[in-house]
Amino acid sequence: MRGSAAVLAVLLAVGGCKAGDQDGKAGEQGGGGTSGPAVSGSALSAVASLTVKGRAPKTGYERDEFGSSWVDTDDNGCGTRDDILKRDLKDVKFRDGHCLVASGTLTDDPYTGRDVRFVRGRSKVDIDHVVALSDAWQKGALKWDRDKRLAFANDPLNLIAVDASANRRKGDGDAATWLPPNTAYRCDYVARQVAVKKVYGLWVTGAEKAAMRRVLGSCPTLKLPARTGGR
């Protein structure tokens, strides 16, 4: 299986998150409050389904193991990066009609809470893999075929537009080693990580699972984010 049609087929095949208002206001609590009981269908309840293992070596990891950057996986004529920019930015202006985003504003950046201006060629906005590719590599993706890695790297469920400087500080951290400085987004951020890892069968470390439970304990009714919709 090759080509964008094959990648779309992989995306559909690994799908499993049906529920989901990912804009859950419970996320405003951040992640340090009193834990509530897990609710069926919530991100907190889904944490229990994640397999715990140690982090595997990073040996062999390269970005190109996940295919070319920002391919057109949904056959809409636009690369994934521009699809996410169109989804997450406000006041978008295009260079070519409908694909190449020339400018826009990331309002209420998930990681910092600030507004960030996007201008193509000198952007302060990154498209972040919420579950970093390197983290995925060390927790199961090493054994995937190339089509599944390409699907993962371009899955909108795992992609959000964010402040570039905050994203660089995150690196390939997981929930145990990095959380957004914007505490209002932490529940939504961790819920998205849980959804991605559940869909793709990635494991978590013991410390990571504990961190997920701690953050989501302050928003126990927050559902797993769906694959479609806003950030």
Side-chain angles (χ1 to χ4, degrees):
M1 253 191 340
R2 291 293 184 269
S4 57
V7 172
L8 180 58
V10 174
L11 282 169
L12 293 173
V14 298
C17 292
K18 302 299 184 183
D21 176 12
Q22 63 170 319
D23 296 325
K25 298 301 182 182
E28 294 176 2
Q29 297 183 46
T34 302
S35 295
V39 175
S40 178
S42 68
L44 179 58
S45 67
V47 175
S49 69
L50 301 178
T51 299
V52 174
K53 292 184 183 181
R55 182 185 291 271
K58 195 174 177 178
T59 307
Y61 170 74
E62 298 289 345
R63 171 61 180 84
D64 62 10
E65 292 290 341
F66 289 81
S68 301
S69 300
W70 313 133
V71 297
D72 178 13
T73 57
D74 58 4
D75 292 323
N76 70 349
C78 305
T80 304
R81 179 173 184 263
D82 283 294
D83 283 340
I84 301 303
L85 289 171
K86 286 187 289 183
R87 185 193 71 184
D88 290 355
L89 300 184
K90 305 296 184 184
D91 301 321
V92 172
K93 292 182 173 56
F94 297 96
R95 178 179 293 179
D96 68 340
H98 77 286
C99 265
L100 293 179
V101 176
S103 64
T105 301
L106 179 62
T107 59
D108 192 21
D109 162 51
Y111 289 176
T112 66
R114 301 191 298 262
D115 290 353
V116 185
R117 182 68 178 162
F118 171 84
V119 178
R120 199 174 198 95
R122 52 183 188 276
S123 175
K124 295 181 180 179
V125 174
D126 280 353
I127 305 302
D128 182 38
H129 291 93
V130 177
V131 174
L133 302 184
S134 172
D135 182 65
W137 181 265
Q138 297 171 78
K139 296 171 182 174
L142 168 64
K143 297 183 178 180
W144 294 350
D145 62 35
R146 196 169 182 84
D147 286 324
K148 186 172 180 179
R149 289 188 201 138
L150 185 64
F152 178 84
N154 290 275
D155 190 337
L157 178 66
N158 193 34
L159 297 170
I160 53 174
V162 298
D163 174 78
S165 60
N167 185 43
R168 311 295 165 79
R169 289 192 293 272
K170 169 189 170 180
D172 64 356
D174 60 27
T177 59
W178 189 90
L179 291 170
N182 178 19
T183 57
Y185 189 70
R186 287 182 179 177
C187 276
D188 291 302
Y189 174 78
V190 173
R192 190 177 285 260
Q193 287 193 329
V194 173
V196 170
K197 294 205 166 188
K198 182 176 175 63
V199 166
Y200 284 90
L202 295 167
W203 69 74
V204 295
T205 66
E208 181 182 4
K209 193 168 191 175
M212 287 173 163
R213 283 177 169 152
R214 183 172 61 251
V215 172
L216 294 173
S218 68
C219 44
T221 63
L222 182 65
K223 294 180 181 179
L224 286 174
R227 195 170 245 124
T228 58
R231 69 171 188 247

mmCIF file of all heavy atoms in Angstrom, residues 98-133:
data_model
loop_
_atom_site.group_PDB
_atom_site.id
_atom_site.type_symbol
_atom_site.label_atom_id
_atom_site.label_comp_id
_atom_site.label_asym_id
_atom_site.label_seq_id
_atom_site.Cartn_x
_atom_site.Cartn_y
_atom_site.Cartn_z
ATOM 1 N N HIS A 98 -6.388 28.490 -1.708
ATOM 2 C CA HIS A 98 -7.003 27.729 -0.632
ATOM 3 C C HIS A 98 -6.051 26.819 0.122
ATOM 4 O O HIS A 98 -6.442 26.219 1.121
ATOM 5 C CB HIS A 98 -8.149 26.873 -1.182
ATOM 6 C CG HIS A 98 -7.697 25.631 -1.895
ATOM 7 N ND1 HIS A 98 -7.127 25.656 -3.141
ATOM 8 C CD2 HIS A 98 -7.724 24.324 -1.504
ATOM 9 C CE1 HIS A 98 -6.829 24.416 -3.499
ATOM 10 N NE2 HIS A 98 -7.163 23.593 -2.531
ATOM 11 N N CYS A 99 -4.787 26.702 -0.308
ATOM 12 C CA CYS A 99 -3.883 25.752 0.346
ATOM 13 C C CYS A 99 -2.776 26.426 1.142
ATOM 14 O O CYS A 99 -2.709 26.299 2.364
ATOM 15 C CB CYS A 99 -3.258 24.817 -0.694
ATOM 16 S SG CYS A 99 -4.138 23.251 -0.872
ATOM 17 N N LEU A 100 -1.886 27.125 0.471
ATOM 18 C CA LEU A 100 -0.714 27.674 1.136
ATOM 19 C C LEU A 100 -1.120 28.849 2.022
ATOM 20 O O LEU A 100 -1.472 29.918 1.537
ATOM 21 C CB LEU A 100 0.330 28.119 0.108
ATOM 22 C CG LEU A 100 0.992 27.008 -0.703
ATOM 23 C CD1 LEU A 100 1.976 27.598 -1.704
ATOM 24 C CD2 LEU A 100 1.705 26.021 0.220
ATOM 25 N N VAL A 101 -1.050 28.636 3.326
ATOM 26 C CA VAL A 101 -1.419 29.681 4.274
ATOM 27 C C VAL A 101 -0.306 30.719 4.319
ATOM 28 O O VAL A 101 0.839 30.402 4.654
ATOM 29 C CB VAL A 101 -1.671 29.087 5.672
ATOM 30 C CG1 VAL A 101 -1.956 30.197 6.671
ATOM 31 C CG2 VAL A 101 -2.827 28.095 5.623
ATOM 32 N N ALA A 102 -0.647 31.962 3.994
ATOM 33 C CA ALA A 102 0.340 33.045 3.985
ATOM 34 C C ALA A 102 0.457 33.710 5.347
ATOM 35 O O ALA A 102 1.552 34.095 5.772
ATOM 36 C CB ALA A 102 -0.025 34.080 2.928
ATOM 37 N N SER A 103 -0.668 33.849 6.049
ATOM 38 C CA SER A 103 -0.643 34.514 7.350
ATOM 39 C C SER A 103 -1.904 34.162 8.135
ATOM 40 O O SER A 103 -2.879 33.642 7.588
ATOM 41 C CB SER A 103 -0.542 36.031 7.188
ATOM 42 O OG SER A 103 -1.689 36.546 6.540
ATOM 43 N N GLY A 104 -1.859 34.466 9.399
ATOM 44 C CA GLY A 104 -2.991 34.231 10.292
ATOM 45 C C GLY A 104 -2.560 34.451 11.723
ATOM 46 O O GLY A 104 -1.403 34.800 11.985
ATOM 47 N N THR A 105 -3.473 34.244 12.649
ATOM 48 C CA THR A 105 -3.168 34.443 14.067
ATOM 49 C C THR A 105 -3.594 33.223 14.865
ATOM 50 O O THR A 105 -4.723 32.745 14.728
ATOM 51 C CB THR A 105 -3.890 35.683 14.621
ATOM 52 O OG1 THR A 105 -3.475 36.837 13.881
ATOM 53 C CG2 THR A 105 -3.545 35.897 16.091
ATOM 54 N N LEU A 106 -2.682 32.729 15.656
ATOM 55 C CA LEU A 106 -2.991 31.660 16.596
ATOM 56 C C LEU A 106 -3.470 32.337 17.873
ATOM 57 O O LEU A 106 -2.670 32.848 18.659
ATOM 58 C CB LEU A 106 -1.750 30.805 16.862
ATOM 59 C CG LEU A 106 -1.911 29.645 17.856
ATOM 60 C CD1 LEU A 106 -2.934 28.639 17.362
ATOM 61 C CD2 LEU A 106 -0.561 28.973 18.113
ATOM 62 N N THR A 107 -4.759 32.389 18.061
ATOM 63 C CA THR A 107 -5.313 33.052 19.241
ATOM 64 C C THR A 107 -5.353 32.074 20.409
ATOM 65 O O THR A 107 -5.716 30.915 20.249
ATOM 66 C CB THR A 107 -6.730 33.586 18.965
ATOM 67 O OG1 THR A 107 -7.589 32.510 18.583
ATOM 68 C CG2 THR A 107 -6.712 34.608 17.839
ATOM 69 N N ASP A 108 -4.961 32.564 21.571
ATOM 70 C CA ASP A 108 -4.952 31.731 22.774
ATOM 71 C C ASP A 108 -4.155 30.451 22.528
ATOM 72 O O ASP A 108 -4.672 29.335 22.651
ATOM 73 C CB ASP A 108 -6.385 31.417 23.202
ATOM 74 C CG ASP A 108 -6.456 30.800 24.593
ATOM 75 O OD1 ASP A 108 -5.500 30.968 25.365
ATOM 76 O OD2 ASP A 108 -7.462 30.130 24.907
ATOM 77 N N ASP A 109 -2.876 30.629 22.183
ATOM 78 C CA ASP A 109 -1.992 29.485 21.932
ATOM 79 C C ASP A 109 -2.114 28.453 23.047
ATOM 80 O O ASP A 109 -2.045 28.794 24.232
ATOM 81 C CB ASP A 109 -0.541 29.985 21.851
ATOM 82 C CG ASP A 109 0.474 28.874 22.023
ATOM 83 O OD1 ASP A 109 0.355 27.851 21.326
ATOM 84 O OD2 ASP A 109 1.380 29.016 22.882
ATOM 85 N N PRO A 110 -2.318 27.176 22.695
ATOM 86 C CA PRO A 110 -2.519 26.150 23.716
ATOM 87 C C PRO A 110 -1.407 26.080 24.761
ATOM 88 O O PRO A 110 -1.681 25.832 25.931
ATOM 89 C CB PRO A 110 -2.590 24.850 22.908
ATOM 90 C CG PRO A 110 -3.040 25.262 21.560
ATOM 91 C CD PRO A 110 -2.435 26.612 21.334
ATOM 92 N N TYR A 111 -0.164 26.272 24.341
ATOM 93 C CA TYR A 111 0.956 26.061 25.247
ATOM 94 C C TYR A 111 1.286 27.259 26.122
ATOM 95 O O TYR A 111 1.834 27.099 27.216
ATOM 96 C CB TYR A 111 2.190 25.638 24.453
ATOM 97 C CG TYR A 111 2.102 24.231 23.887
ATOM 98 C CD1 TYR A 111 3.106 23.723 23.065
ATOM 99 C CD2 TYR A 111 1.015 23.405 24.168
ATOM 100 C CE1 TYR A 111 3.026 22.430 22.543
ATOM 101 C CE2 TYR A 111 0.929 22.116 23.647
ATOM 102 C CZ TYR A 111 1.945 21.644 22.833
ATOM 103 O OH TYR A 111 1.856 20.361 22.318
ATOM 104 N N THR A 112 0.986 28.471 25.646
ATOM 105 C CA THR A 112 1.351 29.668 26.405
ATOM 106 C C THR A 112 0.160 30.534 26.781
ATOM 107 O O THR A 112 0.268 31.373 27.676
ATOM 108 C CB THR A 112 2.331 30.540 25.598
ATOM 109 O OG1 THR A 112 1.656 31.058 24.441
ATOM 110 C CG2 THR A 112 3.562 29.740 25.174
ATOM 111 N N GLY A 113 -0.972 30.377 26.090
ATOM 112 C CA GLY A 113 -2.124 31.221 26.326
ATOM 113 C C GLY A 113 -2.056 32.565 25.632
ATOM 114 O O GLY A 113 -2.984 33.371 25.731
ATOM 115 N N ARG A 114 -0.975 32.816 24.881
ATOM 116 C CA ARG A 114 -0.811 34.093 24.192
ATOM 117 C C ARG A 114 -1.305 34.005 22.754
ATOM 118 O O ARG A 114 -1.449 32.911 22.199
ATOM 119 C CB ARG A 114 0.662 34.514 24.191
ATOM 120 C CG ARG A 114 1.284 34.677 25.571
ATOM 121 C CD ARG A 114 2.643 35.339 25.470
ATOM 122 N NE ARG A 114 3.587 34.553 24.701
ATOM 123 C CZ ARG A 114 4.505 33.751 25.231
ATOM 124 N NH1 ARG A 114 4.599 33.636 26.550
ATOM 125 N NH2 ARG A 114 5.336 33.064 24.475
ATOM 126 N N ASP A 115 -1.505 35.153 22.133
ATOM 127 C CA ASP A 115 -1.767 35.212 20.695
ATOM 128 C C ASP A 115 -0.429 35.234 19.967
ATOM 129 O O ASP A 115 0.496 35.958 20.368
ATOM 130 C CB ASP A 115 -2.567 36.462 20.328
ATOM 131 C CG ASP A 115 -3.999 36.416 20.834
ATOM 132 O OD1 ASP A 115 -4.408 35.364 21.363
ATOM 133 O OD2 ASP A 115 -4.704 37.430 20.711
ATOM 134 N N VAL A 116 -0.313 34.425 18.911
ATOM 135 C CA VAL A 116 0.939 34.325 18.155
ATOM 136 C C VAL A 116 0.634 34.563 16.691
ATOM 137 O O VAL A 116 -0.258 33.920 16.121
ATOM 138 C CB VAL A 116 1.608 32.939 18.335
ATOM 139 C CG1 VAL A 116 2.958 32.912 17.634
ATOM 140 C CG2 VAL A 116 1.762 32.597 19.820
ATOM 141 N N ARG A 117 1.359 35.451 16.070
ATOM 142 C CA ARG A 117 1.162 35.775 14.664
ATOM 143 C C ARG A 117 1.920 34.795 13.781
ATOM 144 O O ARG A 117 3.090 34.483 14.037
ATOM 145 C CB ARG A 117 1.641 37.199 14.385
ATOM 146 C CG ARG A 117 1.443 37.691 12.971
ATOM 147 C CD ARG A 117 -0.012 37.870 12.648
ATOM 148 N NE ARG A 117 -0.212 38.405 11.290
ATOM 149 C CZ ARG A 117 -1.351 38.338 10.642
ATOM 150 N NH1 ARG A 117 -2.409 37.767 11.209
ATOM 151 N NH2 ARG A 117 -1.463 38.841 9.436
ATOM 152 N N PHE A 118 1.241 34.301 12.759
ATOM 153 C CA PHE A 118 1.881 33.433 11.769
ATOM 154 C C PHE A 118 2.074 34.201 10.474
ATOM 155 O O PHE A 118 1.123 34.763 9.926
ATOM 156 C CB PHE A 118 1.027 32.194 11.481
ATOM 157 C CG PHE A 118 1.538 31.370 10.322
ATOM 158 C CD1 PHE A 118 2.536 30.434 10.509
ATOM 159 C CD2 PHE A 118 1.024 31.555 9.042
ATOM 160 C CE1 PHE A 118 3.022 29.689 9.444
ATOM 161 C CE2 PHE A 118 1.504 30.812 7.972
ATOM 162 C CZ PHE A 118 2.506 29.865 8.172
ATOM 163 N N VAL A 119 3.312 34.241 9.983
ATOM 164 C CA VAL A 119 3.629 34.785 8.665
ATOM 165 C C VAL A 119 4.547 33.783 7.988
ATOM 166 O O VAL A 119 5.610 33.451 8.526
ATOM 167 C CB VAL A 119 4.309 36.164 8.746
ATOM 168 C CG1 VAL A 119 4.659 36.670 7.345
ATOM 169 C CG2 VAL A 119 3.419 37.179 9.462
ATOM 170 N N ARG A 120 4.133 33.300 6.851
ATOM 171 C CA ARG A 120 4.901 32.248 6.173
ATOM 172 C C ARG A 120 6.317 32.740 5.861
ATOM 173 O O ARG A 120 6.517 33.829 5.378
ATOM 174 C CB ARG A 120 4.202 31.832 4.881
ATOM 175 C CG ARG A 120 4.669 30.476 4.368
ATOM 176 C CD ARG A 120 3.861 30.010 3.165
ATOM 177 N NE ARG A 120 4.013 28.575 2.957
ATOM 178 C CZ ARG A 120 3.198 27.659 3.415
ATOM 179 N NH1 ARG A 120 2.128 28.020 4.104
ATOM 180 N NH2 ARG A 120 3.412 26.380 3.207
ATOM 181 N N GLY A 121 7.290 31.914 6.183
ATOM 182 C CA GLY A 121 8.678 32.259 5.934
ATOM 183 C C GLY A 121 9.388 32.810 7.149
ATOM 184 O O GLY A 121 10.615 32.746 7.247
ATOM 185 N N ARG A 122 8.647 33.364 8.087
ATOM 186 C CA ARG A 122 9.223 33.829 9.347
ATOM 187 C C ARG A 122 8.247 33.558 10.497
ATOM 188 O O ARG A 122 7.946 34.413 11.326
ATOM 189 C CB ARG A 122 9.604 35.312 9.275
ATOM 190 C CG ARG A 122 8.506 36.243 8.791
ATOM 191 C CD ARG A 122 9.050 37.677 8.700
ATOM 192 N NE ARG A 122 8.026 38.657 8.420
ATOM 193 C CZ ARG A 122 7.571 38.957 7.216
ATOM 194 N NH1 ARG A 122 8.047 38.320 6.155
ATOM 195 N NH2 ARG A 122 6.652 39.881 7.052
ATOM 196 N N SER A 123 7.818 32.334 10.524
ATOM 197 C CA SER A 123 6.749 31.936 11.431
ATOM 198 C C SER A 123 7.245 31.733 12.854
ATOM 199 O O SER A 123 8.345 31.212 13.083
ATOM 200 C CB SER A 123 6.095 30.644 10.943
ATOM 201 O OG SER A 123 5.140 30.196 11.875
ATOM 202 N N LYS A 124 6.414 32.130 13.794
ATOM 203 C CA LYS A 124 6.631 31.826 15.201
ATOM 204 C C LYS A 124 5.651 30.747 15.662
ATOM 205 O O LYS A 124 5.455 30.541 16.854
ATOM 206 C CB LYS A 124 6.463 33.091 16.046
ATOM 207 C CG LYS A 124 7.526 34.153 15.747
ATOM 208 C CD LYS A 124 7.345 35.380 16.627
ATOM 209 C CE LYS A 124 8.412 36.421 16.313
ATOM 210 N NZ LYS A 124 8.242 37.644 17.149
ATOM 211 N N VAL A 125 5.050 30.073 14.687
ATOM 212 C CA VAL A 125 4.096 29.004 14.961
ATOM 213 C C VAL A 125 4.647 27.682 14.429
ATOM 214 O O VAL A 125 5.097 27.612 13.292
ATOM 215 C CB VAL A 125 2.731 29.300 14.306
ATOM 216 C CG1 VAL A 125 1.784 28.107 14.465
ATOM 217 C CG2 VAL A 125 2.105 30.561 14.897
ATOM 218 N N ASP A 126 4.626 26.657 15.258
ATOM 219 C CA ASP A 126 4.986 25.301 14.845
ATOM 220 C C ASP A 126 3.730 24.437 14.796
ATOM 221 O O ASP A 126 2.744 24.709 15.485
ATOM 222 C CB ASP A 126 5.942 24.653 15.851
ATOM 223 C CG ASP A 126 7.383 25.087 15.681
ATOM 224 O OD1 ASP A 126 7.696 25.793 14.703
ATOM 225 O OD2 ASP A 126 8.204 24.720 16.556
ATOM 226 N N ILE A 127 3.799 23.366 13.995
ATOM 227 C CA ILE A 127 2.793 22.309 14.083
ATOM 228 C C ILE A 127 3.420 21.192 14.909
ATOM 229 O O ILE A 127 4.392 20.558 14.487
ATOM 230 C CB ILE A 127 2.379 21.786 12.694
ATOM 231 C CG1 ILE A 127 1.911 22.937 11.810
ATOM 232 C CG2 ILE A 127 1.295 20.729 12.836
ATOM 233 C CD1 ILE A 127 0.752 23.734 12.363
ATOM 234 N N ASP A 128 2.880 20.996 16.094
ATOM 235 C CA ASP A 128 3.470 20.041 17.032
ATOM 236 C C ASP A 128 2.797 18.688 16.961
ATOM 237 O O ASP A 128 1.567 18.591 16.858
ATOM 238 C CB ASP A 128 3.358 20.582 18.458
ATOM 239 C CG ASP A 128 3.996 19.647 19.476
ATOM 240 O OD1 ASP A 128 5.050 19.059 19.160
ATOM 241 O OD2 ASP A 128 3.448 19.506 20.596
ATOM 242 N N HIS A 129 3.610 17.638 17.027
ATOM 243 C CA HIS A 129 3.097 16.291 17.278
ATOM 244 C C HIS A 129 2.909 16.176 18.785
ATOM 245 O O HIS A 129 3.878 16.159 19.544
ATOM 246 C CB HIS A 129 4.074 15.231 16.779
ATOM 247 C CG HIS A 129 4.183 15.167 15.294
ATOM 248 N ND1 HIS A 129 5.151 15.874 14.589
ATOM 249 C CD2 HIS A 129 3.443 14.493 14.371
ATOM 250 C CE1 HIS A 129 5.000 15.628 13.287
ATOM 251 N NE2 HIS A 129 3.981 14.791 13.130
ATOM 252 N N VAL A 130 1.664 16.125 19.229
ATOM 253 C CA VAL A 130 1.372 16.091 20.663
ATOM 254 C C VAL A 130 2.077 14.898 21.305
ATOM 255 O O VAL A 130 2.689 15.015 22.360
ATOM 256 C CB VAL A 130 -0.147 16.061 20.903
ATOM 257 C CG1 VAL A 130 -0.466 15.958 22.386
ATOM 258 C CG2 VAL A 130 -0.787 17.322 20.323
ATOM 259 N N VAL A 131 1.983 13.745 20.685
ATOM 260 C CA VAL A 131 2.858 12.628 21.022
ATOM 261 C C VAL A 131 4.019 12.697 20.041
ATOM 262 O O VAL A 131 3.858 12.453 18.842
ATOM 263 C CB VAL A 131 2.145 11.265 20.901
ATOM 264 C CG1 VAL A 131 3.131 10.123 21.121
ATOM 265 C CG2 VAL A 131 0.998 11.174 21.900
ATOM 266 N N ALA A 132 5.168 13.089 20.539
ATOM 267 C CA ALA A 132 6.331 13.313 19.676
ATOM 268 C C ALA A 132 6.714 12.045 18.919
ATOM 269 O O ALA A 132 6.547 10.927 19.419
ATOM 270 C CB ALA A 132 7.508 13.794 20.523
ATOM 271 N N LEU A 133 7.233 12.240 17.708
ATOM 272 C CA LEU A 133 7.625 11.093 16.896
ATOM 273 C C LEU A 133 8.695 10.258 17.589
ATOM 274 O O LEU A 133 8.652 9.028 17.561
ATOM 275 C CB LEU A 133 8.115 11.566 15.529
ATOM 276 C CG LEU A 133 7.128 12.388 14.690
ATOM 277 C CD1 LEU A 133 7.727 12.689 13.316
ATOM 278 C CD2 LEU A 133 5.795 11.672 14.538
#
